[in-house]
């Protein structure tokens, strides 16, 4: 059993403080509560919002990188510059797919152009229409299988390959001229790091 200690009396020279006003007491407690909420609630809210944004970003990246075929839309400017596939404007039915591994990186692209657009595209590769060879399918079976492209002969298929020294990309190009006003272009550009 412990002995209780006697209380010490206040020194006689200190004046007694009046009891605290209830309104002041309420304001002090409210201010303390507000500070606690701000110190804990704001960072916690920020963490929740940040986690949701991070999760959404991860889902978008997962969808992008888990794609197993052509995706409608334009390749990024960096991809177009890296693989040297300049798609002229205006272009329609634009789709692309990129694969990367330790040995070779490939960009698959398809797009529909006008006649002038085709000439512009070929010029960007240092070629012209005379570079195209009829029924010369330069895109191999493996690449066709990956993209789902089917180049069946007979047809107005024209192709050529632009070879460059590594690490510059090599492009295999097939052009469908069944609709001569709006040719469809298929490109596989591959680079070896």
């Amino acid at each position: 059993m412990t002995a209780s200690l006697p209380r010490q009396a206040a020194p006689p020279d200190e004046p007694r403080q009046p009891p605290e006003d209830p309104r002041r007491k309420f304001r002090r407690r409210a201010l303390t509560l507000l500070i606690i909420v701000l110190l804990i609630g704001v960072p916690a809210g920020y963490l929740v919002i940040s986690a949701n944004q991070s999760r959404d970003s991860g889902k978008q990246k997962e969808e992008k990188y888990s794609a197993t075929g052509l995706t409608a839309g334009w390749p990024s400017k960096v991809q177009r510059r890296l693989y040297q596939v300049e798609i002229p404007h205006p272009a329609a039915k634009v789709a692309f797919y990129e694969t990367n591994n330790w040995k070779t990186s490939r960009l698959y692209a398809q797009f529909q152009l006008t006649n002038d657009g085709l000439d512009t595209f070929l010029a960007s590769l240092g070629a012209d229409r005379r570079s195209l060879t009829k029924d010369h399918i330069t895109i191999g079976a493996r690449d066709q299988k990956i993209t789902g492209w089917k180049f069946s002969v007979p047809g107005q298929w024209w192709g050529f390959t632009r070879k460059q020294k590594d690490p510059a990309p090599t492009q295999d190009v097939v052009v469908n001229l069944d609709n001569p006003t709006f040719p469809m272009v298929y490109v596989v550009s591959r680079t070896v790091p």
Side-chain angles (χ1 to χ4, degrees), residues 7-189:
R7 287 194 165 179
Q8 189 173 13
D13 56 348
E14 279 187 29
R16 287 191 97 185
Q17 292 186 356
E20 189 173 9
D21 181 23
R23 288 179 291 177
R24 179 175 159 82
K25 189 178 194 180
F26 175 76
R27 275 185 281 175
R28 186 175 43 83
R29 287 185 176 170
L31 182 62
T32 303
L33 180 63
L34 177 65
I35 290 170
I36 290 170
V37 167
L38 289 175
L39 288 174
I40 295 172
V42 170
Y46 174 77
L47 287 174
V48 169
I49 291 169
S50 178
N52 284 334
Q53 289 174 343
S54 178
R55 186 176 62 227
D56 291 344
S57 173
K59 286 179 182 177
Q60 291 169 353
K61 287 179 183 175
E62 180 182 356
E63 288 172 6
K64 177 181 175 183
Y65 293 112
S66 68
T68 56
L70 293 171
T71 303
W74 288 68
S76 70
K77 288 182 181 181
V78 170
Q79 289 171 316
R80 288 179 286 183
R81 187 172 50 245
L82 176 70
Y83 292 100
Q84 297 178 6
V85 176
E86 296 301 323
I87 303 172
H89 289 278
K93 299 180 184 177
V94 180
F96 74 99
Y97 179 58
E98 182 181 18
T99 62
N100 296 297
N101 62 36
W102 64 276
K103 212 159 117 180
T104 306
S105 297
R106 286 182 175 83
L107 177 69
Y108 302 87
Q110 72 177 36
F111 43 92
Q112 188 174 40
L113 300 170
T114 62
N115 273 320
D116 290 339
L118 177 60
D119 292 334
T120 302
F121 172 71
L122 292 172
S124 75
L125 298 177
D128 57 22
R129 288 184 189 244
R130 292 175 296 194
S131 305
L132 298 171
T133 305
K134 185 167 175 47
D135 294 331
H136 183 55
I137 308 298
T138 57
I139 297 175
R142 175 193 174 280
D143 293 329
Q144 290 180 41
K145 183 178 178 185
I146 288 173
T147 57
W149 293 334
K150 291 182 179 23
F151 304 119
S152 57
V153 178
Q156 290 293 320
W157 300 105
W158 299 74
F160 87 99
T161 298
R162 175 192 186 201
K163 292 187 179 184
Q164 299 186 91
K165 187 177 178 183
D166 291 337
T170 295
Q171 292 93 5
D172 293 318
V173 178
V174 173
V175 179
N176 182 350
L177 291 172
D178 282 340
N179 181 351
T181 309
F182 296 104
M184 191 73 180
V185 179
Y186 304 89
V187 182
V188 178
S189 181

